Amino acid sequence: MYSFEYQKAGSVADAAKAATGEAKLVAGGMTLIPTLKLRLAQPSKLVDLGGLKDLVGIKAEGGGVTIGAMTTHAAVASSAEVKKAIPALAALAAGIGDPAVRNRGTIGGSVANNDPAADYPAACVALGATIVTSKRKITADDFFKGLFETALEEGEVITAISFPAPEKAAYMKFRNPASRYALVGVFVAKTKGGVRVAVTGAGEGGVFRKKSFEEALGKSFAGSALDGVKVDAKGLNSDIHASADYRAHLIKVMAKRAVDAAK
Amino acid sequence: MPTTVSMTVNGKKVSGQVEPRTLLVQFIRETLGLTGTHVGCDTSQCGACVVHVDGKSVKSCTMLAAQAEGANVLTIEGLATDGKLHPMQEAFREHHGLQCGFCTPGMVMSAIDLVKNNKNPSEHEIREWLEGNICRCTGYHNIVKAIAAGAKAMA
Ligand SMILES: Cc1cc2nc3c(=O)[nH]c(=O)nc-3n(C[C@H](O)[C@H](O)[C@H](O)COP(=O)(O)OP(=O)(O)OC[C@H]3O[C@@H](n4cnc5c(N)ncnc54)[C@H](O)[C@@H]3O)c2cc1C
Ligand code: FES
Ligand code: FES
């Protein structure tokens, strides 16, 4: 690792002020520290959100849940509130990485990082979540901008993420057998405003909505409704793990499984 | 710029000078000389470095020592009491849950965290829990047996 300074943030305002220029926020560190160890980044300073208790916790609100940015994956996975309001979200959190990663990694860090194979972005987009920051509220549709890119500005700190409860939802992840990240992950949600389908792991530009699936499932919410819908491999990733064609195939298989498992 | 960190490790208050970039595992191994916690990879995947921080299993290679300021840390050296192995360590010995032993400290620390969360884990649950602990020798079979027996012994 290159050397850097370290500062514990005393408040969100403090963190927002410090995290400008070459300084970087650190939450659970499960993405940032491996990146630093490989010398893929060289921040001047790490501003640790670790002590900020008001960013930790889960509140049931209006049928949905609001999750503080520093809430760990393990806490989301085992939360009675999340299991009741959105069981698919608790199950998604339980499937991230391994137990030690889930004990440190946070929802805010995962969403801010927007790894094209991360799980939470698919949940945010499919459930129509709102990302709450130190400055404003951003809808998930506007938040995720591309590979590792988000709407976050310099010095903007995610404080919480609000998920409205769907009528039914499920997430199905086809894991990369080595890294266990999503080779393809599909989150399907039947909401009051219609069906929303978000795909992670597959797109060249990160998480995306699959509108043709949403239309077909809007007419009939059953896996078989997707039988006749074609998935184009254009715009999908091709790498040593899977070709774009294979990913296109998996998107449909995972979506059908998610629809059939939705509750 | 070096700073001082203080924490409790295996019940003892300790402190030392570290750089901001010093990892918790470096502090444990190099500053405290507790070399039971191993480093097996550069990618946060192998779990040889697992310790408990405030009662939860974490990868000490993916946490800064500074982030553990004030924390309560338990390493493999802190498990035995009065020269008597912890029941999970004893189960690994009894069931031959190791060959070279490199992964073993992390396996044992992860296993104890599993049993804290789930007193009577099934074979499937044990295998799922070991997602982040890689063993290059045993093929896992005896590790899984050892953990099942260790869970019973801890009850
Ligand atoms: C072995 C392993 C396996 C994994 N498997 C998976 C997996 O299967 N699926 C998956 O989705 N993820 C996986 N991850 C990643 C993991 O979920 C991370 O915890 C997560 O991506 C980042 O969260 P963090 O809290 O650790 O963030 P950090 O690493 O601390 O930060 C990540 C980035 O987000 C920024 N940031 C952090 N918090 C905030 C905030 N509140 N506001 C603004 N910016 C912020 C930081 O500046 C940094 O750029 C894995 C990680 C490891 C090490
Ligand atoms: S050394 Fe920590 S996970 Fe490999
Ligand atoms: S016993 Fe050798 S790595 Fe597990």
Side-chain angles (χ1 to χ4, degrees):
Chain A
M1 267 191 278
Y2 296 111
S3 70
F4 47 78
E5 287 172 56
Y6 173 85
Q7 174 187 343
K8 257 199 153 69
S11 65
V12 171
D14 194 21
K17 210 168 110 200
T20 49
E22 299 295 305
K24 242 183 170 336
L25 296 168
V26 61
M30 290 299 111
T31 292
L32 185 56
I33 295 178
T35 308
L36 295 178
K37 291 206 303 190
L38 297 173
R39 292 195 163 184
L40 295 174
Q42 189 172 12
S44 58
K45 184 197 258 188
L46 293 195
V47 181
D48 193 354
L49 299 173
L52 302 180
K53 292 281 173 284
D54 45 338
L55 296 188
V56 181
I58 296 162
K59 272 193 292 241
E61 273 175 349
V65 286
T66 295
I67 304 177
M70 286 299 290
T71 309
T72 61
H73 308 329
V76 173
S78 63
S79 155
E81 288 89 351
V82 180
K83 281 186 190 162
K84 185 157 166 258
I86 319 177
L89 186 60
L92 173 148
I96 297 176
D98 59 58
V101 168
R102 294 194 288 273
N103 279 337
R104 292 282 303 159
T106 69
I107 189 167
S110 175
V111 168
N113 194 54
N114 193 17
D115 186 303
D119 298 307
Y120 271 126
C124 293
V125 170
L127 292 166
T130 303
I131 321 299
V132 186
T133 76
S134 49
K135 286 188 183 158
R136 54 191 168 138
K137 291 184 174 173
I138 312 167
T139 63
D141 281 330
D142 292 335
F143 183 84
F144 299 103
K145 294 285 192 199
L147 291 188
F148 300 101
E149 261 184 61
T150 68
L152 287 176
E153 292 163 2
E154 188 172 285
E156 188 169 11
V157 182
I158 299 176
T159 56
I161 299 158
S162 283
F163 295 91
E167 287 166 19
K168 281 177 168 190
Y171 177 61
M172 285 290 153
K173 170 177 179 178
F174 189 93
R175 289 183 162 83
N176 174 323
S179 79
R180 315 296 280 167
Y181 269 89
L183 201 58
V184 167
V186 181
F187 201 112
V188 175
K190 187 167 187 282
T191 71
K192 281 199 197 72
V195 177
R196 293 171 67 101
V197 178
V199 179
T200 189
E204 283 174 348
V207 65
F208 64 91
R209 274 174 75 182
K210 192 79 197 133
K211 297 274 168 76
S212 56
F213 283 13
E214 294 180 356
E215 269 162 41
L217 293 168
K219 293 193 192 112
S220 150
F221 194 75
S224 55
L226 299 178
D227 283 340
V229 186
K230 279 219 165 60
V231 184
D232 195 349
K234 214 168 91 228
L236 300 184
N237 281 331
S238 227
D239 54 29
I240 55 162
H241 307 298
S243 64
D245 284 334
Y246 183 49
R247 281 192 165 89
H249 173 74
L250 282 179
I251 289 174
K252 182 134 112 192
V253 173
M254 292 297 116
K256 287 173 78 165
R257 284 186 194 168
V259 173
D260 291 335
K263 56 177 186 224
Chain B
M1 211 202 316
T3 49
T4 307
V5 291
S6 307
M7 62 190 85
T8 303
V9 177
N10 301 332
K12 274 201 228 75
K13 287 219 176 315
V14 296
S15 60
Q17 290 275 308
V18 298
E19 281 188 75
R21 63 177 165 177
T22 304
L23 297 167
L24 177 59
V25 72
Q26 292 172 313
F27 180 72
I28 290 170
R29 288 178 56 87
E30 293 163 24
T31 309
L32 304 180
L34 296 171
T35 54
T37 302
H38 293 166
V39 176
C41 73
D42 273 333
T43 49
S44 307
Q45 281 171 315
C46 77
C49 62
V50 169
V51 302
H52 295 184
V53 173
D54 293 331
K56 295 201 164 92
S57 54
V58 308
K59 291 177 170 173
S60 61
C61 74
T62 314
M63 185 169 177
L64 302 173
Q67 290 179 296
E69 170 68 36
N72 202 341
V73 178
L74 181 67
T75 74
I76 191 79
E77 289 91 345
L79 291 180
T81 39
D82 302 328
K84 196 166 168 289
L85 292 182
H86 182 282
M88 188 60 78
Q89 290 174 303
E90 191 56 52
F92 268 72
R93 181 158 81 175
E94 180 65 26
H95 293 272
H96 200 63
L98 62 146
Q99 286 180 27
C100 80
F102 195 86
C103 68
T104 314
M107 288 285 177
V108 170
M109 298 312 286
S110 284
I112 292 172
D113 194 28
L114 165 64
V115 179
K116 277 176 140 180
N117 284 282
N118 179 354
K119 291 204 162 33
N120 188 18
S122 66
E123 178 184 337
H124 180 72
E125 287 167 332
I126 295 172
R127 288 184 185 273
E128 288 269 297
W129 190 269
L130 295 182
E131 171 98 49
N133 291 86
I134 294 173
C135 176
R136 299 258 92 158
C137 304
T138 63
Y140 300 94
H141 198 62
N142 284 356
I143 295 178
V144 175
K145 273 204 255 173
I147 294 175
K152 285 212 176 70
M154 281 169 69

